[in-house]
Amino acid sequence: IYKGYNKTWKKDFEDLTRDKEILLLQEVYAQDKMFNVFERMVEFEFWFARSWIDTKDNNTASGVSTASIVKTTLKKWQRSYYREPIIKTPKVTLFTRYKLTGHDKELLVGNIHAINFVRYYKLKHMLVEAAKVIKNHQGPVLFAGDFNTWTKTKLGVMNGIFKNLAMKRVKFDHDIRKRFLGKVLDHAWIKELKVISSRIPNVKGSDHPPLELRLSLL
């Protein structure tokens, strides 16, 4: 949600989140203008994982947040071992888990804002650590967010890791996902789930168009 910088972020966010059950947000900025909006969404439980603190802006935390209309049974975060160049900031992955009505298995949700402007092996390290959590989970999985896969090598690394976990990448017909150097940055991977619909609303509240999914169990 681009730290709430864009003028229409609040309206777009409120419109997009209406009638949704799980929200995966990247570039959350822990300031009142954003958290005041979250606090009014009383039907959601929000969890925030901090990647870094902006010391030049009142020590404001930035990271990812996952929200859901049901309570989590697990919260787990991973901060990247490597840091991005120049500003030396890490990135973060947040995992949450949810009970499913009428099923013994639980849903694992991973929300990632991947490390950027680094060599491929540094991104790979972050994805491999996330893959360990997914591998140990018995049940359906959704893993999505900004993977910063703007080179062929990084795309290949991502594909290899998650295909080895028997996960499938969600496809979008009208594909207006954010690109850099012609490569898609945002992805959604699923396991033991099927896609009912996948779309990309054309809104201006962020620098990345949102991904909207309707999923069901296999």
Side-chain angles (χ1 to χ4, degrees), residues 100 105-110 131-144 161-170 188-195 213 215-218:
L100 296 166
K105 294 181 179 180
E106 295 187 333
L107 170 68
L108 178 69
V109 174
K132 292 176 182 177
V133 177
I134 297 171
K135 185 177 181 179
N136 290 330
H137 176 71
Q138 300 298 316
V141 180
L142 166 64
F143 190 73
I161 289 171
F162 294 107
K163 286 180 179 178
N164 282 342
L165 294 171
M167 298 186 73
K168 295 182 179 180
R169 188 169 55 180
V170 176
W189 291 85
I190 58 174
K191 182 178 182 180
E192 296 183 27
L193 294 167
K194 64 180 179 180
V195 178
L213 307 177
L215 305 171
S216 67
L217 296 171
L218 287 176

Side-chain angles (χ1 to χ4, degrees), residues 4-216:
Y5 288 161
N6 286 1
K7 291 181 179 179
T8 64
W9 89 268
K10 179 178 178 291
K11 180 183 184 303
D12 289 340
F13 178 74
E14 291 175 339
D15 289 344
L16 288 166
T17 56
R18 195 172 293 117
D19 300 324
K20 302 301 189 301
E21 295 180 334
I22 301 176
L23 315 175
L24 278 64
L25 313 174
Q26 297 88 44
E27 289 201 359
V28 173
Y29 210 46
Q31 288 186 334
D32 287 345
K33 70 173 183 179
M34 186 169 288
F35 275 36
N36 287 343
V37 174
F38 295 168
E39 287 174 355
R40 290 197 295 271
M41 301 172 67
V42 295
E43 69 275 27
F44 283 96
E45 176 189 74
F46 281 84
W47 290 96
F48 175 69
R50 186 190 74 205
S51 55
W52 57 282
I53 293 176
D54 190 346
T55 57
K56 296 181 180 180
D57 190 1
N58 298 317
N59 291 322
T60 300
S62 178
V64 304
S65 182
T66 300
S68 61
I69 62 171
V70 296
K71 292 187 179 299
T72 59
T73 61
L74 170 79
K75 285 82 66 175
K76 179 182 178 67
W77 59 270
Q78 298 175 330
R79 192 171 289 134
S80 63
Y81 175 78
Y82 295 103
R83 294 180 175 236
E84 295 182 345
I86 303 177
I87 55 176
K88 305 298 181 182
T89 55
K91 288 296 177 65
V92 70
T93 304
L94 174 62
F95 284 100
T96 49
R97 196 173 63 201
Y98 308 94
K99 290 183 178 180
L100 296 166
T101 303
H103 295 271
D104 294 333
K105 294 181 179 180
E106 295 187 333
L107 170 68
L108 178 69
V109 174
N111 179 3
I112 186 171
H113 191 179
I115 192 168
N116 200 10
F117 304 113
V118 295
R119 298 286 300 277
Y120 78 91
Y121 69 88
K122 295 183 179 181
L123 172 63
K124 181 178 181 180
H125 186 277
M126 187 177 186
L127 297 182
V128 166
E129 290 302 303
K132 292 176 182 177
V133 177
I134 297 171
K135 185 177 181 179
N136 290 330
H137 176 71
Q138 300 298 316
V141 180
L142 166 64
F143 190 73
D146 181 358
F147 289 75
N148 278 314
T149 45
W150 49 270
T151 71
K152 184 178 180 180
T153 301
K154 289 179 179 180
L155 278 169
V157 165
M158 177 193 67
N159 289 337
I161 289 171
F162 294 107
K163 286 180 179 178
N164 282 342
L165 294 171
M167 298 186 73
K168 295 182 179 180
R169 188 169 55 180
V170 176
K171 296 180 180 179
F172 298 86
D173 291 333
H174 182 53
D175 196 347
I176 57 170
R177 283 178 291 176
K178 177 79 170 185
R179 284 171 166 79
F180 184 66
L181 299 180
K183 304 294 190 298
V184 171
L185 305 181
D186 304 313
H187 306 275
W189 291 85
I190 58 174
K191 182 178 182 180
E192 296 183 27
L193 294 167
K194 64 180 179 180
V195 178
I196 298 174
S197 65
S198 59
R199 61 186 292 264
I200 307 173
N202 188 13
V203 297
K204 304 300 182 183
S206 173
D207 59 334
H208 289 232
L211 312 184
E212 186 178 277
L213 307 177
R214 292 184 66 226
L215 305 171
S216 67

